[in-house]
């Protein structure tokens, strides 16, 4: 879905990541976001090259993007959701390393956003949050919506807006999928993986 000038203003957050591949753990976060927060729109953004994984060799971006689209369509069709779910290829089109600050600026220029933009993250990223690209500017633009992964408590940081969501953890990892365990994939994503010969399928 492409944004338009007529798009309604909503409480919006972005959910970025490599999504190599997207799995049920990612969808669990959407479910918990809906249950524990007032957000109305989620923009899911696969990274071209993650700033945190610059030395990695991810699956081609087009495949990761397609799998995200499939998974979100399955999620929406299997259960009612009040969330407007949008898949965006802005980081893929931008090319190079995907920096969250650049993405946030582009999202704010493109979408009608009510209030402050939310930024979904796992608590495993908290210890190095001060090292993020242009973090002093980024923290002025977003609320960090932090989900439990490693049970890390956010330290007090001046100028940061951090909300920790202590929801149940869904144990699934993209690493397990890449090693050949497809049990955490939705049926549609699993079919895509198998038909395209990804992850040792």
């Amino acid at each position: 879905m492409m944004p338009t000038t007529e798009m309604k203003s909503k409480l919006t957050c972005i959910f970025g990541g490599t999504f190599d591949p997207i799995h049920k753990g990612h969808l669990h976060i959407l479910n918990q976001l809906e249950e524990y927060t007032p957000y109305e729109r989620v923009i899911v953004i696969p990274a071209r090259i993650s700033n945190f994984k610059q030395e990695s060799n991810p699956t081609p971006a087009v495949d990761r993007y397609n799998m995200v689209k499939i998974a979100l369509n399955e999620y929406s069709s299997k259960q009612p959701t009040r969330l407007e779910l949008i898949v965006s290829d802005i980081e893929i089109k931008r090319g190079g390393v995907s920096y969250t600050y650049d993405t946030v600026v582009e999202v704010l220029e493109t979408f009608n956003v009510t209030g402050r933009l939310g930024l979904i993250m796992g608590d495993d990223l908290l210890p190095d949050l001060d090292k993020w690209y242009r973090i002093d500017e980024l923290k002025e633009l977003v609320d960090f919506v932090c989900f439990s992964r490693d049970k890390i408590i956010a330290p007090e940081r001046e100028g940061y807006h951090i909300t920790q969501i202590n929801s149940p953890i869904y144990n699934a990892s993209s690493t397990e999928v890449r090693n050949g365990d497809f049990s955490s994939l939705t049926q549609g994503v699993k079919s895509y993986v198998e038909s395209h010969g990804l992850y040792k399928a």
Side-chain angles (χ1 to χ4, degrees):
M1 176 179 179
M2 293 300 294
T4 67
T5 54
E6 293 79 23
M7 180 175 283
K8 181 179 178 182
S9 182
K10 293 184 178 181
L11 288 168
T12 302
C13 63
I14 61 177
F15 188 5
T18 309
F19 298 113
D20 192 14
I22 188 169
H23 52 65
K24 293 176 183 177
H26 297 118
L27 301 181
H28 172 73
I29 289 176
L30 295 178
N31 179 268
Q32 299 302 294
L33 185 83
E34 184 169 7
E35 181 172 349
Y36 290 99
T37 79
Y39 287 104
E40 302 165 297
R41 177 192 292 136
V42 183
I43 306 169
V44 184
I45 307 175
R48 171 68 178 85
I49 301 173
S50 171
N51 182 32
F52 306 109
K53 303 175 183 177
Q54 292 191 35
E55 303 305 316
S56 66
N57 184 28
T59 301
V62 63
D63 289 316
R64 292 185 286 110
Y65 176 80
N66 287 338
M67 287 187 285
V68 170
K69 287 175 62 178
I70 291 169
L72 294 189
N73 284 335
E74 289 180 286
Y75 179 84
S76 299
S77 64
K78 288 184 178 180
Q79 61 187 47
T81 177
R82 62 173 173 78
L83 295 175
E84 178 186 1
L85 300 175
I86 297 173
V87 186
S88 173
D89 60 358
I90 59 175
E91 291 190 349
I92 295 171
K93 286 183 175 179
R94 188 188 307 137
V97 176
S98 302
Y99 292 108
T100 300
Y101 171 80
D102 295 335
T103 299
V104 165
V105 169
E106 189 167 348
V107 166
L108 290 173
E109 290 175 347
T110 306
F111 292 85
N112 291 325
V113 176
T114 298
R116 288 170 64 92
L117 182 67
L119 177 62
I120 295 174
M121 61 181 289
D123 61 7
D124 56 315
L125 299 178
L126 285 172
D128 293 325
L129 193 56
D130 290 332
K131 300 176 183 178
W132 284 26
Y133 175 73
R134 298 181 74 164
I135 187 60
D136 287 338
E137 295 157 278
L138 178 63
K139 70 183 183 182
E140 298 298 324
L141 299 176
V142 302
D143 289 338
F144 297 92
V145 184
C146 185
F147 283 85
S148 296
R149 186 169 180 178
D150 295 334
K151 298 296 184 181
I152 297 173
I153 304 299
E156 292 295 329
R157 285 186 169 99
E158 184 177 353
Y160 288 81
H161 300 263
I162 300 176
T163 300
Q164 289 201 257
I165 311 295
N166 294 313
S167 61
I169 298 174
Y170 190 103
N171 290 315
S173 82
S174 296
T175 300
E176 292 174 350
V177 177
R178 293 194 296 272
N179 289 333
D181 180 359
F182 298 161
S183 60
S184 65
L185 298 181
T186 65
Q187 187 57 51
V189 173
K190 181 180 178 183
S191 296
Y192 185 96
V193 166
E194 292 174 343
S195 65
H196 287 76
L198 306 177
Y199 313 122
K200 304 179 182 180

